[in-house]
Amino acid sequence: MSEALLTVRRAVREFLGGLEPADFSVAVSGGADSLALAEAAAHYAHRAGVRVRALVVDHGLQEGSAEVAENAAKTARELGVAEAEVLRVSVFGPGGLEAAARRARYEALSEHGGELVLLGHTRDDQAETVLLGLGRGSGPRSVAGMRPLDPPWGRPLLELPRAVTREACDVLGIQPWEDPHNSDSRFTRVRLRNEVLPLLEDVLSGGVAAALARTARQLREDLETLDLLAEQLRGEGETLDAKALTPVPAALRRRVLRRWLLDGGARDLSDAHLRSIDALVGRWRGQGGVWLPGGLVVERTHGRLAMNRREIRGD
């Protein structure tokens, strides 16, 4: 049997073997990554005595997309999944076509997929994610890339190069669908994949994708440790003791603040928001509160931080 196929199956077996046996879903686009994943998932499910269902999202963005989705579902059934369902979505909203399609896809998968949905992201996808985070200055969480397990999402193939999934499909005798959007230079990820990463591989004599993925893994481990420490400092209650947090290193203190803000319903937090709120602790001079999206305001009163919702009045 092909080493590529065995490698994909092994990655899925090791990933799912560390979890409690249960039925699960796998997202299938019809591309090589998702089809190789579907076959390995079906292979594992058959031996583990659980059911795996394929979910195919039809974004409706291209002529013939319904036929492509049905073909992907048919191929997934032929590869051994217990059932395959096509989910049709509407793509709209802010952030451009790429972001809107991703948002619609994840919403549909989370709604229909159950407690665990496997995604076919590979090491190459991880490298692209890390580069995007670096280029946008999105901070360490973005540069840390995608987590292998981030419920309900599971990514068993993050350590495997895309070439392995393509070879596995060749061995299985299936022809993956090539999404025209994957060669459309209007999309940032396409240019990273087709222009930036090949250039880096050439300039740095290869191994760049693996190095970026390795960096992401190391950074995730550091972040998990810092998050654990932040959780211990977070404590209970709806307010935070600003005086107790004053001597805490700023990087760790901002993690405490971020967790507290998210728990309190804050969304769309930026680095500027966090630093402004951190100033209420580390550089307290009696300044006023910090406004956040959604009409939330964080204020310091009697040595404690409180988050309240206020009505924003127009003129």
Side-chain angles (χ1 to χ4, degrees):
M1 184 177 291
S2 160
E3 182 62 30
L5 186 57
L6 288 174
T7 298
V8 177
R9 287 181 176 180
R10 186 184 309 117
V12 171
R13 183 178 68 248
E14 291 177 353
F15 179 86
L16 292 174
L19 306 175
E20 287 293 325
D23 296 348
F24 62 97
S25 301
V26 56
V28 175
S29 66
D33 301 337
S34 66
L35 290 178
L37 175 61
E39 193 281 336
H43 186 268
Y44 170 85
H46 178 72
R47 283 154 179 74
V50 298
R51 287 172 59 83
V52 57
R53 178 172 55 137
L55 299 176
V56 183
V57 177
D58 175 13
H59 300 86
L61 295 176
Q62 303 168 21
E63 185 177 350
S65 66
E67 181 181 358
V68 169
E70 292 295 344
N71 285 338
K74 178 176 179 290
T75 303
R77 294 188 196 99
E78 293 170 349
L79 291 172
V81 302
E83 59 179 301
E85 180 181 359
V86 175
L87 308 175
R88 291 180 172 81
V89 300
S90 298
V91 176
F92 62 91
L97 184 62
E98 214 174 359
R102 181 182 185 277
R103 188 165 52 248
R105 178 169 63 253
Y106 274 76
E107 286 177 358
L109 291 172
S110 62
E111 181 179 349
H112 296 272
E115 294 187 3
L116 179 65
V117 181
L118 300 188
L119 305 174
H121 294 130
T122 65
R123 188 173 71 188
D124 300 84
D125 296 304
Q126 185 75 297
E128 293 163 14
T129 300
V130 173
L131 279 179
L132 277 173
L134 284 169
R136 291 171 175 169
S138 304
R141 291 186 188 279
S142 181
V143 178
M146 298 174 283
R147 294 180 178 179
L149 180 61
D150 187 18
W153 316 118
R155 301 178 175 92
L157 309 185
L158 274 184
E159 297 295 326
L160 305 187
R162 189 173 290 136
V164 169
T165 64
R166 294 186 180 279
E167 185 178 339
C169 287
D170 288 342
V171 172
L172 291 167
I174 54 178
Q175 182 63 45
W177 175 62
E178 297 292 342
D179 186 348
H181 283 167
N182 288 339
S183 58
D184 190 336
S185 60
R186 291 178 301 166
F187 300 115
T188 304
R189 274 190 178 269
V190 171
R191 298 197 65 184
L192 283 175
R193 183 179 307 139
N194 296 337
E195 300 176 32
V196 178
L197 274 168
L199 179 60
L200 286 173
E201 293 280 354
D202 179 46
V203 172
L204 298 177
S205 302
V208 171
L212 289 170
R214 186 168 59 250
T215 298
R217 183 172 62 251
Q218 294 167 346
L219 189 51
R220 280 198 308 276
E221 292 170 353
D222 289 347
L223 287 173
E224 287 168 1
T225 300
L226 288 169
D227 285 343
L228 178 60
L229 293 173
E231 188 64 31
Q232 293 170 352
L233 289 168
R234 161 75 171 85
E236 301 292 336
E238 296 183 356
T239 62
L240 281 181
D241 187 341
K243 291 182 179 179
L245 288 175
T246 301
V248 175
L252 182 56
R253 190 169 62 217
R254 283 194 289 273
R255 279 176 169 77
V256 177
L257 293 171
R258 180 178 182 275
R259 184 70 268 162
W260 173 66
L261 291 165
L262 292 175
D263 289 345
R267 295 294 181 267
D268 300 323
L269 293 172
S270 67
D271 182 66
H273 291 137
L274 282 175
R275 290 180 182 275
S276 295
I277 295 170
D278 184 56
L280 297 177
V281 179
R283 292 184 285 110
W284 173 242
R285 299 292 185 272
Q287 61 266 41
V290 177
W291 285 88
L292 301 175
L296 293 173
V297 61
V298 177
E299 298 170 302
R300 175 167 172 161
T301 307
H302 305 302
R304 300 194 71 86
L305 293 185
M307 180 168 36
N308 300 295
R309 191 172 297 279
R310 300 280 179 81
E311 181 180 351
I312 302 176
R313 297 181 178 179
D315 294 336

